[in-house]
Amino acid sequence: MNSDVFAILIPLLYLGCFSLMAYVLVSGLKEAMDGVSDTYSQQASRELENLFLFIPASRIASLSQTASIIGFILGFLLFGSVASPEGLLGGAVAGLFLFFLIRMLPAIAIHFLKTRRLERFNVQLTEALVTMSNALRAGFSIQQAFETIVQEGRKPIAQEFGVFVQQTRVGVRFEEALKNLEERVGSDDLTLMVRAVEIARQTGGNLTEVFELIATTIRERTRIEGKIKSMTAMGRLQGIVVGMIPLFLMVAMTLLDPVMMMNFFRSIEGIAILFLTVILLITGALVIRKIVNIEV
């Protein structure tokens, strides 16, 4: 009788221990993922606020988590199988790849929006410098010259200068508000303007001539950057074409012989080859980007 009781209790004790360990592990992973997700979503929300897109961090976190989980499930269902260990491994790898890829999409979208906004800001800054120079020549103060750009209402420069003007109105020092504007926008051309304003205010220089000179410098640099982009366009196009060839081949072979490709995706050798291919493609893209990106 005692042996029968021990025969039942020992497996139950093992089951309880493993269940407790699994619960602690899952809880720890969940807390870690929640912490990372909260930090990431708050950072993304701040980045969007700098772009004047006010989206709550909680909504970004919920959408990112839901889309990532759906991506993992779809990746496992498309490329995985529960019939063999290789199928489980292939499905897990494909699911994790889609999971992290979807997690990266908000950051990629924010980077794209910031780059496009910065390009528009730099283009508008040249015209704004000329307008501010004319305003100073007409007898306006530097504060009123900034307000002139805000009143024109051209986005995004009117939004950024509007924040600057609002900060100075609520008591922020002019120099500190300029520094905040420079850090928020992150434009080299704006940094040049801010440094010129600071030096002119300290030494009593002629801001009218300084703004005209800066506008001329920015125009010349923009012209040179455009010429460099046109000369390196072929290299960038070649990099895109070469990088997309493996993807096109994989899709074409999957359409021609889906059974063979599914077996390939579910095998350890296939997973290793795909992993190596992704690493080589990323390395090649970074090398080509380093070659064609020429700083002016």
Side-chain angles (χ1 to χ4, degrees):
M1 181 67 180
N2 292 332
S3 61
D4 295 337
V5 173
F6 280 115
I8 297 175
L9 287 178
I10 291 175
L12 290 177
L13 289 174
Y14 275 109
L15 179 61
C17 292
F18 281 116
S19 300
L20 181 60
M21 291 174 59
Y23 174 77
V24 172
L25 180 61
V26 171
S27 300
L29 290 175
K30 184 177 183 302
E31 291 180 2
M33 288 294 295
D34 290 341
V36 172
S37 178
D38 291 340
T39 303
Y40 175 77
S41 59
Q42 290 175 5
Q43 181 181 359
S45 180
R46 287 193 297 268
E47 294 285 348
L48 290 173
E49 287 178 1
N50 291 335
L51 298 175
F52 291 83
L53 298 174
F54 302 98
I55 302 177
S58 57
R59 181 172 298 178
I60 296 175
S62 61
L63 290 175
S64 179
Q65 289 178 354
T66 303
S68 300
I69 293 173
I70 293 175
F72 178 84
I73 295 174
L74 288 177
F76 187 86
L77 293 177
L78 290 175
F79 300 101
S81 174
V82 296
S84 63
E86 292 81 3
L88 289 173
L89 179 61
V93 171
L96 289 175
F97 176 77
L98 289 178
F99 180 88
F100 289 109
L101 179 62
I102 294 174
R103 280 282 184 172
M104 292 171 58
L105 287 180
I108 296 173
I110 291 174
H111 177 73
F112 172 76
L113 292 175
K114 288 180 64 176
T115 303
R116 189 177 66 174
R117 181 183 177 87
L118 183 59
E119 291 176 353
R120 292 178 58 192
F121 181 91
N122 289 333
V123 171
Q124 295 174 2
L125 181 61
T126 306
E127 301 175 2
L129 286 171
V130 176
T131 302
M132 293 173 68
S133 177
N134 295 331
L136 292 174
R137 187 177 288 109
F140 288 15
S141 65
I142 183 65
Q143 178 79 15
Q144 292 172 331
F146 276 101
E147 292 177 357
T148 302
I149 305 302
V150 176
Q151 292 172 1
E152 290 183 356
R154 296 185 61 190
K155 298 178 182 179
I157 193 168
Q159 294 175 326
E160 300 293 350
F161 280 17
V163 174
F164 164 80
V165 172
Q166 187 65 29
Q167 288 180 349
T168 57
R169 288 176 178 174
V170 298
V172 179
R173 292 190 305 110
F174 186 88
E175 293 79 6
E176 186 176 351
L178 270 181
K179 184 178 180 181
N180 294 336
L181 174 64
E182 178 186 358
E183 293 177 352
R184 185 171 60 251
V185 177
S187 169
D188 294 335
D189 297 337
L190 179 63
T191 300
L192 183 62
M193 187 201 80
V194 170
R195 295 293 178 267
V197 171
E198 292 176 349
I199 294 173
R201 284 173 60 87
Q202 293 174 2
T203 61
N206 190 347
L207 276 177
T208 302
E209 297 179 357
V210 171
F211 281 168
E212 291 178 352
L213 181 60
I214 294 175
T216 303
T217 303
I218 294 175
R219 285 197 192 98
E220 186 65 18
R221 184 164 66 179
T222 302
R223 184 185 68 81
I224 296 174
E225 287 178 349
K227 187 175 181 179
I228 291 175
K229 286 183 179 179
S230 63
M231 295 175 64
T232 58
M234 183 61 68
R236 291 196 299 270
L237 181 60
Q238 289 176 350
I240 295 174
V241 171
V242 171
M244 295 299 292
I245 285 176
L247 179 61
F248 288 148
L249 288 176
M250 184 179 68
V251 173
M253 293 179 68
T254 302
L255 294 175
L256 292 174
D257 195 345
V259 177
M260 180 191 70
M261 292 303 295
M262 284 298 148
N263 293 329
F264 174 76
F265 291 142
R266 294 168 182 173
S267 64
I268 298 177
E269 295 81 2
I271 296 171
I273 293 174
L274 289 175
F275 183 73
L276 181 61
T277 303
V278 170
I279 293 178
L280 292 176
L281 287 175
I282 294 175
T283 304
L286 293 176
V287 172
I288 294 175
R289 180 182 178 184
K290 186 67 176 178
I291 294 173
V292 300
N293 283 348
I294 302 174
E295 296 292 337
V296 179

